[in-house]
Amino acid sequence: MATHADIALFSVAAATLYGALIGSFLNVVIYRLPRECMSLARPGSSCPRCGAKVRWYDNAPVVSFLLLGGRCRACRGPISWRYPFVEALTAILFGAVALKYAATPLLLSPPGEPNWARAAAYCALLAALVAAAGIDMALYILPDEITLGGLCLAPLAAFCFPEIMAHLMAPAGVGGVAPLAGRMGALLHSLFGAFVGGAILALV
């Protein structure tokens, strides 16, 4: 029978692997999203130098880059270090989120309940930030698909999963705190944060 420690370890390992796979997709987003003539889905990945299609077994995050020595299998041209870096970074970030919000509660005595909703919301936010940072570093732009998309989805996530706003606590007597009051409270806090953040950038 699996123990809480086994479940915690599996949660972190699964989140890390999933993060690496998401990181591989984020590389596609970073390269193609600013180039509006390119679809995120088609065509499949190919070498930007010789145009050779990347075989499925050369698409394993990080591992394929290392096995190929950082070069295209067809033309032996160098592959940017951005690809394994984004994959590894996303894997580490997802693993860290799973460790804090899924694994750590299970390892407490007595064990607590993993906060999967909060972990999923943070992973989605981190994925968007990694993609935005990669595009910004390459082209010095932040695509509206990410910024405005996040502006619309964040309040919705706060309303659906108010526990992700649990760090916004209200005093509840001496030595205690009460959680944020309900979905509408989480929604209003999210909208206020979006307004303040957007106003600062607009002023700049």
Side-chain angles (χ1 to χ4, degrees):
M1 182 175 180
T3 65
H4 286 99
D6 295 332
I7 298 173
L9 179 61
F10 176 80
S11 299
V12 174
T16 302
L17 176 60
Y18 186 65
L21 296 173
I22 292 296
S24 182
F25 174 71
L26 293 181
N27 276 317
V28 176
V29 173
I30 291 169
Y31 182 79
R32 297 188 182 186
L33 186 60
R35 298 166 172 83
E36 297 180 356
C37 60
M38 300 186 71
S39 166
L40 295 181
R42 298 180 180 179
S45 299
S46 61
C47 175
R49 288 179 175 79
C50 68
K53 291 187 177 180
V54 178
R55 297 176 173 86
W56 65 268
Y57 48 80
D58 287 336
N59 256 331
V62 181
V63 176
S64 291
F65 180 88
L66 297 176
L67 292 177
L68 291 171
R71 294 186 175 277
C72 170
R73 183 183 291 275
C75 68
R76 304 307 298 166
I79 300 173
S80 172
W81 276 90
R82 188 202 76 209
Y83 292 94
F85 177 78
V86 169
E87 293 163 355
L89 175 62
T90 311
I92 292 170
L93 291 174
F94 276 39
V97 169
L99 177 63
K100 180 172 179 61
Y101 297 108
T104 299
L106 290 171
L107 298 176
L108 296 176
S109 183
E113 287 293 326
N115 197 330
W116 290 108
R118 192 171 181 181
Y122 283 162
C123 284
L125 173 63
L126 288 169
L129 290 175
V130 169
I135 295 171
D136 190 20
M137 291 177 65
L139 301 172
Y140 303 106
I141 61 172
L142 290 172
D144 289 342
E145 290 86 348
I146 296 177
T147 56
L148 298 183
L151 187 66
C152 295
L153 291 177
L156 177 62
F159 180 80
C160 294
F161 307 108
E163 58 267 33
I164 69 175
M165 307 290 285
H167 62 290
L168 298 173
M169 311 290 274
V174 178
V177 293
L180 191 66
R183 298 180 186 274
M184 289 305 299
L187 174 62
L188 291 175
H189 272 84
S190 179
L191 290 173
F192 177 75
F195 172 77
V196 172
I200 292 173
L201 291 176
L203 289 173
V204 173

